Amino acid sequence: MEPLFAGVSNNAHHLYTLLSCIGFAHKATVQITPDGLRFSVEEGRVIQGLAFLDKSLFTSYTFNPSTNSEPNNQNGTSQDDNESSQNGPYPHFVVSLSAILETLKIFGINELSESNRPRDTSITQTGIASSSAFNAPALLMDRSCTLQYAQHGAPLSITITEAGVKTTCELVTYEPDENEADIPLQRDAIIMKIIMRSVWLHNAIAELDSSTPTILKLSACAKQEPYFALSGAGGPFSESTVEFSVDQNNEIAGGAGHGTTQSQMHKVLFDDGSSRARATRAKLAPTVTETFLVSPPSSMGERIQQSYRFALIRKAARAMSVANKVSIRGDRQGVLSLQFMVELDDHNVPVGRPVGAGVKGPNGPVCFVDFRFVPLLDEEEAEMVMDAQVE
C-alpha cells in the first residue's frame, strides 16, 4: 500500500531554515496539499505563523489523497497564490514542531538545543551565526531527508541519511481542534502595503528592543511625515521612535539633537542600519521601501495608527534575520501581516543567478513565511502601560 504522502529532500537545511522561523511554538498543524506542506502555529489566538514547504524543495514529492479525507477547516496560507489549494479536503494533523527541528539537526552536537534556550530572547540574539564545518546548518547541507505519512492517524516518519547511515524518527500525530482557524486577513480590505528589505525592519525592531518596550506602535501616512514610523512604548525607559529615511541627501536641520526630547527620541534609519535625527524635508515615500501604499478609510483620517504586543513581534525575529524582503500589510480591522520572502541558498551550485548590477543572488528556491498579529484594543494598551509603570 502506497503511503498517503512521501517526500525526499537533498537539503535538510532548507526545511530547517523555514520551520525554525515559526519555532516559537511547540506544536504545529500540518496540512498536506498537492503543492506542498503547510505548517501553522499559533499562540493565544493573537499571533500565527505560517510556513509553506513548496514541493520544489523536494527532489521527489508524492501525494496520494484518499477518497475519505476529512475536510479541512483552515483558510488562508502564507502564499497568496496557494490560497485556493488550502480550502480543499486535504489531510491535516498536529505534530510536535520542536521534535521536528531537533530531528533535522540531530547531528548538530555543537549547537545548543532550542529547548535549552529561552524562547523570548532579545532581537539581537536571533540572527544566524556564521556557518562553519562544525555547526548544525553546515552539517545539514549534504544530507538526505525523507518525510512520510502513511495514512490518517499514522505517525509522521522522518528518515535522515548521511554517508550510508540512516536515522529514522517517528513522531506521534494528533487530531487538530475542530474550531481551529487562521487569524483572518481581509485581502479585499487592505489599507496598507509596504515592501522593503527585511534587514531594515530587523534593525528597527532591534533598536527599539534595547529599551525593553511592551507595545509596538505602527504609524503610516501617505501625505505627511513621518510617513512610516515604529515606536516602542510601555517599558521602563522613555518611548523611542524609529522613522525610516525619506531622503538621504537632505541636510539635518537643527543639529544631531534636533527632534529629541527628554521623554521621546526620534531617529531615522538608513540603508546601512545607522541612524540620525530626522530631517525637515522629505519625499512622499521612504526611500528604503520598494512599495509604499497607504490608503486608510475616511473614518481613520489620513494616518494609520495601530498598536501590537512587542513580545509577539519579537517572535518573528528569526524570520526577519533570514528573509530577503518583507511585505507589511494591514487591513481595516488592524490585523498585521508580515510576509517574508526567503531565498534559499543552493550550496551545490557555485555561482548564483544574476540579479542585476553584477550581483549574484541565491541559487535555491524562493519560499514564504507569514506572520499575523491581532492588534491591541485601547483598553489593553492602557492596561499594559499602567502595568509597566507599576513595575
Side-chain angles (χ1 to χ4, degrees):
M1 179 179 178
E2 294 185 356
L4 192 152
F5 160 75
V8 180
S9 173
N10 288 334
N11 197 327
H13 182 45
H14 288 172
L15 309 183
Y16 179 83
T17 299
L18 293 174
L19 294 181
S20 62
C21 291
I22 59 172
F24 63 87
H26 290 285
K27 293 183 178 181
T29 300
V30 184
Q31 184 181 25
I32 305 174
T33 76
D35 300 320
L37 302 179
R38 180 180 187 266
F39 285 76
S40 173
V41 298
E42 63 90 21
E43 185 176 290
R45 307 292 185 183
V46 292
I47 177 177
Q48 183 179 26
L50 303 169
F52 191 78
L53 305 185
D54 193 88
K55 63 185 300 182
S56 62
L57 295 175
F58 300 87
T59 56
S60 173
Y61 188 93
T62 304
F63 178 44
N64 300 307
S66 57
T67 56
N68 59 347
S69 297
E70 297 180 2
N72 175 42
N73 295 326
Q74 298 184 13
N75 296 317
T77 179
S78 60
Q79 290 177 275
D80 295 343
D81 295 340
N82 294 317
E83 183 80 20
S84 59
S85 67
Q86 307 303 333
N87 298 327
Y90 299 129
H92 57 288
F93 53 86
V94 176
V95 70
S96 172
L97 180 59
S98 301
I100 293 179
L101 293 175
E102 291 296 326
T103 302
L104 291 177
K105 64 183 184 70
I106 194 170
F107 292 116
I109 58 176
N110 291 322
E111 180 173 275
L112 291 176
S113 172
E114 292 290 338
S115 60
N116 295 330
R117 297 179 182 177
R119 291 191 173 267
D120 289 332
T121 55
S122 64
I123 297 293
T124 55
Q125 296 176 344
T126 56
I128 298 179
S130 58
S131 297
S132 68
F134 301 101
N135 61 21
L139 292 172
L140 288 171
M141 292 174 186
D142 298 324
R143 186 178 305 168
S144 172
C145 178
T146 302
L147 304 180
Q148 182 172 305
Y149 185 63
Q151 59 185 0
H152 290 286
L156 177 65
S157 176
I158 303 178
T159 302
I160 296 178
T161 304
E162 183 181 38
V165 178
K166 289 186 177 182
T167 302
T168 301
C169 178
E170 292 190 348
L171 306 179
V172 178
T173 59
Y174 307 89
E175 290 291 333
D177 295 336
E178 295 182 357
N179 58 350
E180 183 175 346
D182 291 346
I183 295 177
L185 177 68
Q186 296 179 328
R187 289 185 170 84
D188 57 346
I190 297 295
I191 61 176
M192 177 186 66
K193 183 177 181 180
I194 302 172
I195 299 178
M196 59 192 299
R197 289 182 58 188
S198 181
V199 64
W200 291 325
L201 177 63
H202 182 272
N203 291 343
I205 298 298
E207 184 167 349
L208 295 176
D209 191 43
S210 61
S211 60
T212 320
T214 58
I215 299 173
L216 176 71
K217 297 181 179 180
L218 184 150
S219 175
C221 181
K223 297 183 178 180
Q224 60 182 358
E225 59 178 345
Y227 298 104
F228 182 43
L230 300 174
S231 302
F237 305 103
S238 60
E239 179 176 329
S240 58
T241 301
V242 173
E243 297 177 10
F244 288 85
S245 171
V246 290
D247 189 355
Q248 302 178 34
N249 297 322
N250 279 339
E251 296 181 357
I252 304 174
H258 181 73
T260 303
T261 64
Q262 183 177 2
S263 61
Q264 189 171 17
M265 298 177 294
H266 292 268
K267 296 181 179 180
V268 174
L269 193 68
F270 280 104
D271 295 4
D272 58 359
S274 61
S275 59
R276 62 161 172 79
R278 175 167 58 87
T280 57
R281 299 177 60 186
K283 295 180 180 179
L284 293 180
T287 56
V288 298
T289 61
E290 298 180 9
T291 300
F292 188 79
L293 301 175
V294 179
S295 56
S298 57
S299 59
M300 289 187 179
E302 296 182 349
R303 181 173 297 277
I304 296 176
Q305 292 180 315
Q306 292 290 351
S307 298
Y308 306 89
R309 293 181 182 270
F310 198 94
L312 300 182
I313 302 295
R314 187 185 292 119
K315 295 180 185 296
R318 175 80 175 186
M320 295 181 196
S321 64
V322 302
N324 298 79
K325 295 182 181 181
V326 58
S327 174
I328 306 171
R329 296 178 295 175
D331 62 12
R332 292 193 177 188
Q333 294 183 341
V335 175
L336 176 66
S337 168
L338 299 180
Q339 187 180 66
F340 298 95
M341 185 184 75
V342 182
E343 296 184 6
L344 299 170
D345 293 329
D346 187 354
H347 296 275
N348 296 324
V349 181
V351 181
R353 57 177 175 80
V355 294
V359 179
K360 297 295 183 179
N363 306 279
V366 175
C367 297
F368 293 87
V369 177
D370 190 10
F371 281 82
R372 297 176 187 176
F373 305 90
V374 175
L376 285 173
L377 301 177
D378 294 339
E379 297 80 3
E380 294 177 321
E381 182 177 349
E383 182 179 353
M384 293 182 66
V385 173
M386 292 181 62
D387 292 342
Q389 292 176 350
V390 171
E391 295 178 358

